[in-house]
């Protein structure tokens, strides 16, 4: 299951800087990843458990932002 989820996350966030796309948010919610909007960040938690939390900038400025977000999500949540 984790390999399948890892591939889905990589495909969804590849080439993106942020989570502005609503279909990406819906796909993450289907994977039981909760998304909370803070002022300048998105806070992602797996099944509402604060041990598995990742913070993503709302307005990413780095070209590698999507890849970095994927690496953080996989390392922390999966």
């Amino acid at each position: 299951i984790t390999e399948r989820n890892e591939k889905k996350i990589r495909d969804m966030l590849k080439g993106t800087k942020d989570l502005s796309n609503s279909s990406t948010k819906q796909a993450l919610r289907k994977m039981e990843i909760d998304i909370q909007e803070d002022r300048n960040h998105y806070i992602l938690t797996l099944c509402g458990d604060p041990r598995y939390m990742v913070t993503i900038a709302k307005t990413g400025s780095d070209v590698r932002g999507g890849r970095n977000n994927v690496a953080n999500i996989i390392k922390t949540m999966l």
Side-chain angles (χ1 to χ4, degrees):
I1 294 174
T2 57
E3 290 178 11
R4 190 172 9 155
N5 288 342
E6 183 178 331
K7 182 167 175 19
K8 283 181 187 178
I9 291 173
R10 282 188 197 277
D11 292 341
M12 276 189 295
L13 298 178
K14 184 171 92 175
T16 62
K17 294 181 182 180
D18 54 14
L19 295 178
S20 60
N21 190 352
S22 63
S23 63
T24 303
K25 290 180 188 177
Q26 289 176 353
L28 288 172
R29 287 186 179 117
K30 285 182 183 179
M31 297 173 66
E32 298 182 8
I33 296 176
D34 301 326
I35 303 171
Q36 297 176 352
E37 291 189 32
D38 194 25
R39 215 163 125 187
N40 297 323
H41 296 86
Y42 292 110
I43 300 171
L44 308 176
T45 54
L46 183 65
C47 300
D49 191 349
R51 295 179 297 169
Y52 306 108
M53 182 179 73
V54 175
T55 305
I56 296 176
K58 277 189 176 179
T59 56
S61 61
D62 191 356
V63 175
R64 289 188 40 91
R67 290 186 216 157
N68 293 336
N69 291 336
V70 168
N72 287 335
I73 291 170
I74 290 171
K75 184 176 13 173
T76 304
M77 296 183 180
L78 304 177

